[in-house]
């Protein structure tokens, strides 16, 4: 009230100042005084309130009478024409004040609408440019509305999944209000919260609630439509992701079956031939031992192929659970080498492991499978007699395990694709048996542990595959022991 009173007094004093200046410089010219006073009233009406404009009008009328209409220096009017002049001046002042107030109100409304349009445009742009998943998009909607409209709290309910995305877990927006608005399709106000149904056409996608300054009905409807577009996009994206996952799963099954069917022919043929010769009984003891060895080796190969297929299928379907514990690196590598059996006999394998014991925080079975895949890959793609080097080192809380071979190496293109599922270089497809699953399995296992795998290779000089995993230090070991 003090501020309003002060501004009103200033507006009236402004008219007085204009009248005195006009009287001083234009020697009491009533016409010029009326023009300047009217200009002052219009300016007050344009930039002030209606009360201030009326105060300026009354003050200007009194000043015009006192200083410019005879008798000068008195608030009396001797000539009837003076009454006409003052009445017309006051009427024009009031009309100008109303027009100025109306223009100011329209200007303010246009400014508010422009601001609202900019906020809606920013919200819509954030939705269209989002390349994240469906859940991330819905969280983005809530956070963006909080940022643009300065809500105290916001929540979004999505019908499809029944999930609620909130800006705050402890707030005034209840789940029942969100579900009720989504069912009824009507705007509701409960306490401090405003709840909007989110719909496009006849389909309701959910509801949105906020706590904050009230918004106009038009803005509420526009905001609801924009959020509905985001919800529709999220649901469409989720459906597309499910369809793509099904397609990839079917494609993976088909590729695995085709690859296994091709790779199983060789060991099955060898086993079948050895079995027929053993069954015939026309073999010496030495041949019998060789044939039994062939059956054993090819059976192990079959077991390995089936194991790779099962591991890859579980990894692809995210159906494996990590049982993390401290795994000593040295014993784990030696066990992986021993498991190679006859396959590792044709290559000298050198170990470069520091004397200080190293340990990683990992699932022992899975990480051992990953190292076996790297060793098997090195054996397959190295000429017989060439050495394979396995090294380990720790730096910055990470343990790196590297397997280096002396094979023919990889081109840059092959290095970029070597970890893809079922990828095999053209020159290796006929010469080296395999399905192309081994390195893909090794990568998936490493990444599931929060680690990484990379390859360094030069043509004619061999390749080096390095797995980097979190180290298990003493605090971690103690924690694992407690659990």
């Amino acid at each position: 009230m003090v501020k309003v009173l002060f501004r009103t007094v200033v507006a009236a004093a402004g008219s007085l100042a204009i009248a005195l200046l006009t009287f001083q410089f234009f020697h009491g010219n009533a016409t010029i005084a009326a023009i300047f006073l009217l200009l002052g009233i219009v300016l007050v009406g344009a930039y002030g309130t209606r009360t201030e404009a009326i105060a300026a009008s009354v003050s200007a009328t009194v000043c015009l009478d006192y200083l410019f209409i005879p008798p000068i220096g008195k608030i009396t009017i001797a000539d009837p024409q003076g009454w006409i002049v003052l009445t017309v001046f006051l009427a024009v002042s009031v009309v100008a004040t109303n027009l100025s107030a109306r223009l100011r109100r329209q200007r303010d409304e246009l400014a508010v609408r422009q601001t609202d349009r900019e906020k809606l445009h920013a919200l819509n742009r954030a939705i269209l440019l989002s390349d994240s998943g469906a859940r991330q998009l819905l969280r983005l909607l809530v956070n963006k509305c909080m940022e643009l409209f300065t809500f105290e709290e916001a929540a979004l309910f999505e019908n499809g999944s029944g999930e609620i995305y909130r800006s705050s877990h402890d707030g005034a927006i209840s789940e029942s209000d969100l579900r009720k608005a989504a069912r009824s399709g009507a705007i509701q106000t409960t306490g401090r919260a405003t709840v909007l149904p989110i719909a496009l056409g006849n389909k309701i996608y959910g509801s949105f609630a906020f706590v904050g300054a009230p918004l106009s009905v038009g803005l509420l409807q526009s905001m609801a439509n924009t959020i509905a577009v985001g919800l529709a996009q999220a649901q469409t994206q989720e459906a597309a992701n499910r369809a793509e996952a099904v397609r990839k799963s079917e494609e993976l099954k088909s590729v695995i079956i085709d690859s296994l069917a091709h790779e199983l022919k060789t060991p099955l043929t060898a086993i079948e031939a050895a079995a027929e010769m053993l069954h015939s009984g026309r073999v010496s003891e030495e041949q019998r031992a060789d044939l039994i060895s062939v059956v054993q080796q090819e059976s192990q190969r079959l077991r390995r192929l089936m194991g790779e297929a099962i591991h890859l299928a579980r990894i692809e379907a995210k159906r494996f659970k990590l049982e993390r514990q401290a795994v000593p690196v040295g014993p784990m590598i030696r066990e992986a080498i021993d498991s190679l059996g006859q396959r590792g006999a044709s290559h000298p394998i050198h170990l470069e492991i520091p004397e200080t014991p190293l340990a990683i925080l990992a699932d022992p079975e899975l990480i051992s499978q990953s190292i076996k895949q790297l060793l098997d890959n090195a054996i397959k793609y190295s000429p017989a007699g060439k050495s394979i080097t396995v090294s380990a080192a720790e730096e910055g809380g990470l343990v790196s395990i590297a397997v280096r071979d002396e094979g023919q190496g990889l081109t840059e293109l092959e290095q970029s694709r070597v970890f893809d599922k079922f990828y095999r270089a053209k020159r290796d497809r006929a010469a080296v048996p395999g399905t192309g699953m081994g390195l893909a399995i090794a990568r998936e296992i490493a990444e599931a542990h929060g680690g990484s795998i990379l390859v360094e290779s030069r043509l004619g000089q061999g390749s080096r595959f390095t797995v980097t995993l979190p180290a298990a230090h003493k605090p971690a070991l103690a924690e694992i022991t407690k659990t």
Side-chain angles (χ1 to χ4, degrees), residues 46-69:
Y47 296 99
T49 64
R50 183 188 295 271
T51 303
E52 295 165 10
I54 292 174
S57 300
V58 173
S59 175
T61 304
V62 173
C63 290
L64 187 65
D65 177 25
Y66 188 82
L67 296 174
F68 299 97
I69 296 178

Side-chain angles (χ1 to χ4, degrees), residues 42 78 132 143 148 150 203 260 296 301 329 359 409 436 454:
V42 170
S132 54
N143 295 334
L148 294 172
T150 61
K203 183 175 181 180
L260 285 177
Q296 290 176 338
R301 182 179 174 186
V329 172
L454 57 86

Side-chain angles (χ1 to χ4, degrees), residues 300 304 339-347 372 375-376 379:
Q300 290 175 358
R304 188 172 66 256
S339 69
L340 295 173
Q342 293 297 322
R343 286 182 294 130
S346 58
H347 295 77
K372 289 177 185 177
L375 289 168
D376 186 65
I379 290 171

Side-chain angles (χ1 to χ4, degrees), residues 419-483:
F419 296 106
D420 292 349
K421 299 179 183 70
F422 310 110
Y423 174 76
R424 303 187 68 213
K426 291 183 179 180
R427 65 177 183 271
D428 298 328
R429 291 175 186 172
V432 181
T435 60
M437 293 188 290
L439 291 179
I441 292 173
R443 182 190 65 178
E444 294 288 350
I445 291 175
E447 291 181 352
H449 284 81
S452 62
I453 185 170
L454 57 86
V455 60
E456 302 167 87
S457 183
R458 297 183 68 178
L459 283 175
Q461 298 184 22
S463 303
R464 180 183 182 188
F465 290 84
T466 305
V467 179
T468 303
L469 298 163
H473 296 296
K474 291 182 179 180
L477 293 174
E479 189 174 308
I480 292 171
T481 304
K482 289 178 183 179
T483 58

